[in-house]
Amino acid sequence: MPVNLNYKNEELGKKELILLAAIEMFLEKDYYQVTVVEIAERAGVGKGTVYEYYSSKEVLFRECFSYCTNSYLNSFIEHLNKTSNVKKTMRDIINTHLQMLSENRRGIRLLYKERPYNFQELQNWVIEQRQTLLAGITELIKEGIRLKEIRSDVDAEMAGRIFLALNYVVLGGIIVIDEDEVRKDQIDSMLDILWHGIGEIQ
Amino acid sequence: MPVNLNYKNEELGKKELILLAAIEMFLEKDYYQVTVVEIAERAGVGKGTVYEYYSSKEVLFRECFSYCTNSYLNSFIEHLNKTSNVKKTMRDIINTHLQMLSENRRGIRLLYKERPYNFQELQNWVIEQRQTLLAGITELIKEGIRLKEIRSDVDAEMAGRIFLALNYVVLGGIIVIDEDEVRKDQIDSMLDILWHGIGEIQ
Amino acid sequence: MPVNLNYKNEELGKKELILLAAIEMFLEKDYYQVTVVEIAERAGVGKGTVYEYYSSKEVLFRECFSYCTNSYLNSFIEHLNKTSNVKKTMRDIINTHLQMLSENRRGIRLLYKERPYNFQELQNWVIEQRQTLLAGITELIKEGIRLKEIRSDVDAEMAGRIFLALNYVVLGGIIVIDEDEVRKDQIDSMLDILWHGIGEIQ
Amino acid sequence: MPVNLNYKNEELGKKELILLAAIEMFLEKDYYQVTVVEIAERAGVGKGTVYEYYSSKEVLFRECFSYCTNSYLNSFIEHLNKTSNVKKTMRDIINTHLQMLSENRRGIRLLYKERPYNFQELQNWVIEQRQTLLAGITELIKEGIRLKEIRSDVDAEMAGRIFLALNYVVLGGIIVIDEDEVRKDQIDSMLDILWHGIGEIQ
DNA sequence: CATGAATGAGTCTTCATTCAT
DNA sequence: CATGAATGAAGACTCATTCAT
C-alpha cells in the first residue's frame, strides 16, 4: 500500500512536511497510539520543531483531518459544479472517489480510520461538512429531476444520502475493509441498482 | 440520550454490571479516554473488582464490543431465518435496526463509535462478522430472485452490500449523527429507491 | 530437588500446613514475588484462612524464617552439647549440615535465599542468633584447646568464625550455587586445611 | 554510615548521577521497597528523567549491580596479575577488600545486601563472575605451590574457596553484620590459621 | 472456623509539552 | 528557528487485607 501524499513532489516547507508525516502516522495507528516523537522522526525534524508549527498534538491532528477532508470534498465539489449530464456526473464522482481511495492520495483513508468523536469541535465540523456535501448531492439530484433524467417523485435528499452511502460504504468497504479492487462490472451493477432498483418489473 | 442497556432490569451479577457500565462509558468517550476507575465508579464497584472479572481494560473492551455486535447480528439473523416475503423481511430488518438504534438497546451505538483498529484480532473478527452478515443478506436477495420478487439480472452481492449500507449509513447516519428520528416516509423513500431506482422510466 | 519439609508425615494442623506451604513458596521465589493466594493454594486452604493463623504476610514470613533458623541452630547445638572429641564434633556438624542442605530438610535453604533486611526486627534476631552460634563454636574451640587438640595460641573466636564460614559458604556454595554434591574428599581437604593450614612446613 | 560512592567528586553526567543515587537507595532498602520516585528525588531529577536513561527499574538495578560487582572484581584481578609473593598477595587482597568495605567505596556493600534471585539472567551472571574469581584464586594458590610457599598436597580449589570465604564471610561479616572494625590482629589471626591451621602440632 | 468477593493504596511507566541552548 | 533533555500528570494494574456469609 504505497502512500502517495505528495505526488507532485514540490519543495515542501517544514510545516507541510510535518503535516504529511503526521497523516502517514495517523493512517497506520490510532490517534492515541501515535506519538509526537514518531511524527517528528518520520518528518525528519526534532521533537520541538513540531511545536513550532502546531501548538499541540490535537491541533496537528485537526489539521491532518481537515486537510484530508478538504481534498475529499473538493473532488466532489469540482464535479458538482460542471454538471450537464447527471448520470455521467455521478459516474465521474464515483471514479474520482475510487481513484483517490486506491491511490490513497492525500491520505483519504484517514477518513475511514479516525473518528474524532473525542474532539467535539472537530466532530461538529465533520457533521457540517457532511451536510454541505449532502446538500450538494441533493442539488445534483434535483438538477437530474429538472433534466428529466431522474424520476420526479424521488425524494431528492434520500437519494443523495443513498448516493453518498454507495460511495462511502459500498466502494470504500470493498477497498478499505476487504482490501480488494473494485471491478468495473461492480460499478455498473451498483449504478444499475441505483438507477433501476432491484424490484421485478411488473 | 437515555441509555437503556438492561430494560428488563433483571437481577444483575457484578460481572454484567461492570460490562454494562463499561459499554455506557465507551459510548460516551474514546477507548483511551475512558479510565478503569470511571467504569468502576459507574458500576458502583471498586477499581480492583473490575479486574476480578476482566483481566485487563482491553479484554473488557473486547467483551463490550462482542456483546454489542452479537446483539446486532442476532437481530438480523433472526429475520433472515424466517423469510417468506423478501420485501417484507427487508422492512422488518430495517424496523428492528431502527428500533435498536433509537432505544440504544444493548449498546448498539457502540458499533458506530468505536473502531478498534489497534486490536488486530478484534478487527479481524469484525471483518469476519461483516462477511457473514453480507453472505446472509446476499442469500436473502437470491431468495428474492427465486421468488421473482427481485429482478433476475441483479447482482445479488452488490444488492446485499447496498442494503447493508442503507441500514448502516443512511439510517444510522440520521439517528447517530443528525440525532434525528427516522420518519416512516423516509423509510418508504429509501425502500422505494432501492426497489425502483431513481432513473426516469423511459 | 525434592522438598522434604515434613518427613515424618505426622498429622498436620492447618497452621503448620500453611507454614510449610509458605516455606516452599519462599524457597522458590522472593518474598515480594510470593503472593498470599499462592501460599493458600499450595496449602490447600482458602485465602482468608491464612489470616486466621497469621495476622499478616510479614508475620508469616517471620515464622517461616524462625522455623528454619531454629531447625538449623538446633542441629548445631545438639552436637555442641555432647562433645568429647572436638575434631570429631566438627566433622559431625559438617555432616549434619550437609545432610540438611542436600535433603533441604526443614527448608534450610531459605537461609541462603532470603535476607530479611527490610524487617529490622527480624534482622536483629538473625544477628543475635548468629552471635549465639558463634559463641557456641568459640566455646567448642576453647574446649579443643583445653583438650590439647587445638593449638593454644589460636584465636578461638576467629577460628569459630572461620569454621562457620566454611560450613556456610564453602559447603553451602557448592550445594546451593553450584548445585553439586559435596564429595567426601572435599570435606577431607577442607578439614585438612582447617587443621594444618596451607603453609609449607619449614 | 557515610556512603562514598564518588569520592573524587568529578563532574557527573545525569546518567551516572542517577546510577549512584540508585545504588544508595538499593543499599538502604530492598529492590521492591525502593521506588523509582525516591531514586529520582535522591538524584535530584524528575521521575521521567530516570526513564530517559534506564528503560525500567529492573534495568537500572542490573546496572547498579554490575557496576558494583565490577568494581569488586577488578580490585581482585588487579592484585592477581602482579603476584610475586603469594602470601603477600593474599594480604594485599585482604587489605584492599577491607578498605573497599569500610569505605563502602563504589557501593561494594550492595553485594552483601541484594541477591537478585528473581532476575535469572543476572543471577547467572553472578555465578559466572564467582567462577572466574574462584579460578583466579585457585591459580594463585597453584602459583604458591610452584613457589613452594604452599604445601604441595593442598587441594588448590578448596583452598581458593576457603580464601574467598575468609574475605567474603569472615571479614564481610565483621564489617557489614557486626558493623565493627576489623583489627589488624584479627587479620593476623585469620592468616595464621589459614597458613598453619588450628591443629595442635604433634 | 473457613471462605473468597471486594477493595484501594501504592507503583511503574508513558508521553505531551516546555524551555534553555 | 531548531532542538532534545527534562518533566510530572495521568492511568493501568497488583495484591495484602477485610469482612459478610
Side-chain angles (χ1 to χ4, degrees):
Chain A
M1 191 202 332
V3 180
N4 181 10
L5 295 168
N6 176 42
Y7 58 113
K8 285 192 178 164
N9 223 20
E10 322 115 14
E11 282 297 308
L12 288 177
K14 283 250 167 67
K15 184 165 186 178
E16 195 165 15
L17 210 58
I18 293 167
L19 186 77
L20 297 180
I23 292 175
E24 287 179 31
M25 290 311 305
F26 289 132
L27 280 168
E28 279 176 27
K29 299 194 263 177
D30 257 14
Y31 174 76
Y32 294 97
Q33 294 206 318
V34 171
T35 67
V36 175
V37 177
E38 283 173 321
I39 293 171
E41 274 168 2
R42 173 143 339 182
V45 302
K47 191 193 337 178
T49 310
V50 173
Y51 286 87
E52 286 288 322
Y53 296 98
Y54 302 93
S55 59
S56 73
K57 183 186 175 187
E58 189 177 322
V59 164
L60 175 53
F61 176 76
R62 280 160 148 80
E63 302 247 340
C64 290
F65 202 85
S66 313
Y67 184 86
C68 294
T69 310
N70 284 332
S71 298
Y72 188 68
L73 280 181
N74 287 339
S75 83
F76 272 84
I77 302 298
E78 222 170 283
H79 287 295
L80 291 177
N81 287 337
K82 50 183 179 182
T83 306
S84 60
N85 177 312
V86 173
K87 198 167 181 183
K88 187 177 169 305
T89 302
M90 283 182 166
R91 192 161 218 130
D92 288 347
I93 288 174
I94 288 168
N95 282 326
T96 308
H97 187 204
L98 274 178
Q99 210 185 336
M100 293 183 80
L101 272 169
S102 58
E103 288 178 0
N104 191 24
R105 202 192 311 163
R106 307 231 164 228
I108 208 66
R109 284 178 196 215
L110 191 58
L111 310 186
Y112 283 89
K113 295 206 75 162
E114 291 283 352
R115 301 214 185 173
Y117 279 95
N118 41 321
F119 305 144
Q120 195 55 54
E121 184 199 334
L122 191 49
Q123 175 65 358
N124 292 338
W125 180 77
V126 168
I127 291 175
E128 218 172 276
Q129 299 289 53
R130 190 174 149 281
Q131 298 294 7
T132 307
L133 191 52
L134 181 55
I137 296 290
T138 303
E139 214 42 62
L140 179 69
I141 304 286
K142 284 181 177 164
E143 175 72 6
I145 293 174
R146 264 193 299 281
L147 296 173
K148 299 220 188 290
E149 290 183 65
I150 293 175
R151 284 195 286 130
S152 60
D153 58 343
V154 153
D155 176 339
E157 191 193 298
M158 179 56 74
R161 286 180 188 273
I162 291 177
F163 182 67
L164 287 180
L166 297 190
N167 272 279
Y168 194 71
V169 180
V170 177
L171 300 181
I174 294 171
I175 291 180
V176 176
I177 303 184
D178 301 344
E179 293 189 340
D180 215 342
E181 294 288 304
V182 174
R183 302 184 311 275
K184 185 167 179 316
D185 69 85
Q186 287 180 304
I187 301 177
D188 290 337
S189 294
M190 194 177 87
L191 277 172
D192 174 68
I193 291 172
L194 178 63
W195 221 255
H196 301 111
I198 61 174
E200 179 64 70
I201 301 142
Q202 250 62 53
Chain B
M1 190 203 331
V3 179
N4 181 9
L5 294 167
N6 175 45
Y7 59 113
K8 286 192 177 164
N9 223 19
E10 322 116 14
E11 284 295 309
L12 287 177
K14 280 261 163 57
K15 185 166 186 178
E16 195 165 15
L17 208 59
I18 292 166
L19 186 78
L20 298 180
I23 292 176
E24 288 178 29
M25 290 310 305
F26 289 133
L27 279 168
E28 280 176 26
K29 299 197 262 178
D30 255 15
Y31 174 78
Y32 295 97
Q33 291 204 319
V34 172
T35 69
V36 174
V37 176
E38 282 172 324
I39 294 172
E41 274 167 2
R42 170 136 351 175
V45 300
K47 185 192 354 168
T49 308
V50 173
Y51 285 91
E52 286 288 316
Y53 295 98
Y54 301 94
S55 58
S56 72
K57 184 185 174 187
E58 188 177 323
V59 164
L60 175 54
F61 177 76
R62 280 162 147 82
E63 301 244 344
C64 289
F65 202 85
S66 312
Y67 184 86
C68 295
T69 311
N70 284 333
S71 298
Y72 188 68
L73 279 182
N74 287 340
S75 82
F76 270 83
I77 303 297
E78 222 170 284
H79 287 295
L80 291 176
N81 285 338
K82 49 180 181 187
T83 306
S84 60
N85 177 309
V86 173
K87 196 168 181 183
K88 186 178 168 307
T89 301
M90 284 183 165
R91 190 162 221 129
D92 287 346
I93 289 174
I94 288 168
N95 281 328
T96 309
H97 187 204
L98 273 179
Q99 209 185 337
M100 294 183 82
L101 273 169
S102 57
E103 288 178 1
N104 190 23
R105 203 191 312 162
R106 306 223 165 239
I108 209 65
R109 285 182 193 209
L110 191 58
L111 309 186
Y112 284 89
K113 297 206 73 162
E114 290 283 350
R115 299 216 186 172
Y117 277 96
N118 41 321
F119 304 151
Q120 194 57 54
E121 183 199 333
L122 192 50
Q123 176 65 1
N124 291 339
W125 181 77
V126 169
I127 290 176
E128 216 173 274
Q129 300 289 50
R130 191 175 149 279
Q131 299 292 9
T132 307
L133 193 51
L134 180 55
I137 297 291
T138 303
E139 214 43 61
L140 179 69
I141 305 286
K142 284 179 178 164
E143 176 72 7
I145 293 174
R146 262 193 299 281
L147 295 173
K148 299 218 188 291
E149 290 183 66
I150 292 174
R151 285 194 286 131
S152 60
D153 58 343
V154 153
D155 177 339
E157 192 194 298
M158 179 56 75
R161 285 181 187 274
I162 290 175
F163 181 66
L164 287 180
L166 299 191
N167 270 278
Y168 193 71
V169 178
V170 177
L171 301 181
I174 293 171
I175 291 181
V176 177
I177 304 183
D178 301 344
E179 295 190 335
D180 230 337
E181 289 292 301
V182 175
R183 299 185 312 275
K184 189 171 176 314
D185 68 85
Q186 287 179 304
I187 302 177
D188 289 337
S189 293
M190 192 178 90
L191 275 173
D192 174 68
I193 291 173
L194 177 64
W195 220 254
H196 301 110
I198 61 174
E200 179 62 72
I201 303 141
Q202 251 61 51
Chain C
M1 188 205 329
V3 180
N4 181 8
L5 294 168
N6 176 44
Y7 58 114
K8 287 193 177 163
N9 221 18
E10 322 116 14
E11 283 297 309
L12 288 177
K14 283 251 168 68
K15 184 165 186 177
E16 196 166 13
L17 210 58
I18 292 167
L19 186 79
L20 298 179
I23 291 175
E24 288 180 30
M25 290 311 305
F26 289 133
L27 280 167
E28 281 177 25
K29 299 194 263 178
D30 257 14
Y31 173 77
Y32 294 97
Q33 294 205 317
V34 171
T35 66
V36 174
V37 177
E38 282 172 322
I39 294 172
E41 274 168 2
R42 175 146 335 185
V45 301
K47 188 192 338 176
T49 310
V50 173
Y51 286 87
E52 286 288 320
Y53 296 98
Y54 302 94
S55 59
S56 73
K57 184 185 175 187
E58 189 177 322
V59 164
L60 174 54
F61 176 76
R62 280 161 147 82
E63 302 246 340
C64 290
F65 203 84
S66 313
Y67 184 87
C68 295
T69 311
N70 284 332
S71 297
Y72 188 69
L73 280 182
N74 287 340
S75 83
F76 270 83
I77 302 298
E78 223 170 284
H79 287 294
L80 291 176
N81 286 338
K82 49 181 181 184
T83 307
S84 59
N85 176 309
V86 173
K87 196 169 181 182
K88 187 177 167 306
T89 301
M90 283 182 165
R91 191 163 220 128
D92 288 347
I93 289 175
I94 287 168
N95 282 327
T96 308
H97 187 205
L98 273 177
Q99 209 185 336
M100 293 182 82
L101 271 169
S102 58
E103 288 179 358
N104 190 23
R105 202 188 315 157
R106 304 218 169 243
I108 208 64
R109 285 180 192 212
L110 190 57
L111 310 186
Y112 284 88
K113 296 206 73 163
E114 291 283 352
R115 302 215 184 173
Y117 278 96
N118 40 321
F119 305 147
Q120 196 55 55
E121 183 198 334
L122 190 50
Q123 176 65 358
N124 291 339
W125 180 77
V126 169
I127 291 175
E128 217 171 276
Q129 300 288 52
R130 192 175 150 278
Q131 297 294 7
T132 308
L133 192 51
L134 181 54
I137 296 290
T138 303
E139 214 42 62
L140 179 69
I141 304 287
K142 284 180 177 163
E143 176 72 6
I145 293 175
R146 263 192 298 282
L147 296 173
K148 298 221 189 289
E149 289 183 67
I150 293 176
R151 284 195 285 131
S152 62
D153 57 344
V154 151
D155 176 340
E157 192 194 297
M158 178 55 76
R161 285 181 187 274
I162 290 176
F163 181 67
L164 287 179
L166 297 191
N167 270 278
Y168 193 72
V169 178
V170 177
L171 303 181
I174 294 171
I175 290 182
V176 176
I177 303 184
D178 301 342
E179 294 192 337
D180 229 337
E181 291 290 302
V182 175
R183 300 183 314 274
K184 188 172 175 316
D185 69 86
Q186 287 179 305
I187 301 177
D188 289 338
S189 293
M190 193 177 89
L191 276 173
D192 174 68
I193 291 173
L194 177 64
W195 220 255
H196 302 110
I198 62 174
E200 180 62 75
I201 302 140
Q202 249 61 53
Chain D
M1 189 204 333
V3 180
N4 180 10
L5 295 167
N6 177 44
Y7 59 114
K8 288 195 176 161
N9 224 17
E10 323 116 14
E11 285 295 310
L12 288 177
K14 279 263 162 60
K15 184 165 186 179
E16 197 166 14
L17 207 59
I18 292 167
L19 186 78
L20 298 179
I23 292 175
E24 288 179 29
M25 290 310 305
F26 288 133
L27 280 167
E28 279 176 26
K29 299 196 262 176
D30 256 13
Y31 173 77
Y32 294 98
Q33 290 204 319
V34 172
T35 68
V36 175
V37 177
E38 282 171 325
I39 294 173
E41 274 167 2
R42 172 141 343 179
V45 301
K47 186 188 357 165
T49 308
V50 173
Y51 285 89
E52 286 289 315
Y53 295 98
Y54 302 94
S55 58
S56 71
K57 183 185 174 188
E58 188 177 324
V59 164
L60 175 53
F61 176 75
R62 280 160 145 83
E63 302 246 340
C64 289
F65 202 86
S66 313
Y67 183 86
C68 295
T69 311
N70 285 333
S71 298
Y72 188 68
L73 279 182
N74 287 340
S75 81
F76 272 83
I77 303 297
E78 222 169 283
H79 287 295
L80 291 176
N81 286 339
K82 47 182 180 186
T83 305
S84 60
N85 176 309
V86 173
K87 198 169 179 182
K88 188 178 168 306
T89 302
M90 283 182 167
R91 192 164 217 124
D92 288 346
I93 289 175
I94 287 168
N95 282 327
T96 307
H97 188 204
L98 272 178
Q99 210 185 335
M100 294 183 81
L101 273 168
S102 58
E103 288 179 0
N104 189 25
R105 202 192 311 162
R106 306 235 163 227
I108 208 65
R109 285 180 194 211
L110 191 58
L111 309 186
Y112 284 89
K113 297 207 73 163
E114 290 282 352
R115 301 214 184 174
Y117 279 95
N118 41 320
F119 305 146
Q120 194 55 55
E121 184 199 333
L122 192 50
Q123 175 66 356
N124 291 339
W125 179 78
V126 169
I127 291 175
E128 217 172 274
Q129 299 289 51
R130 189 175 151 279
Q131 299 292 10
T132 308
L133 192 53
L134 180 55
I137 297 289
T138 303
E139 215 43 62
L140 179 69
I141 304 287
K142 284 179 177 162
E143 176 71 5
I145 293 174
R146 263 193 299 280
L147 296 173
K148 299 219 190 291
E149 289 183 65
I150 292 175
R151 286 194 285 131
S152 60
D153 57 344
V154 152
D155 176 339
E157 191 193 298
M158 179 54 77
R161 286 181 189 273
I162 291 176
F163 181 66
L164 288 179
L166 297 189
N167 272 278
Y168 194 71
V169 179
V170 178
L171 300 182
I174 293 170
I175 291 179
V176 177
I177 303 183
D178 300 344
E179 294 191 338
D180 215 341
E181 292 288 305
V182 175
R183 301 184 311 276
K184 187 169 178 316
D185 69 86
Q186 286 181 302
I187 301 176
D188 289 339
S189 294
M190 194 178 86
L191 277 172
D192 174 68
I193 291 173
L194 177 64
W195 221 254
H196 302 109
I198 61 175
E200 180 61 73
I201 301 139
Q202 251 61 52

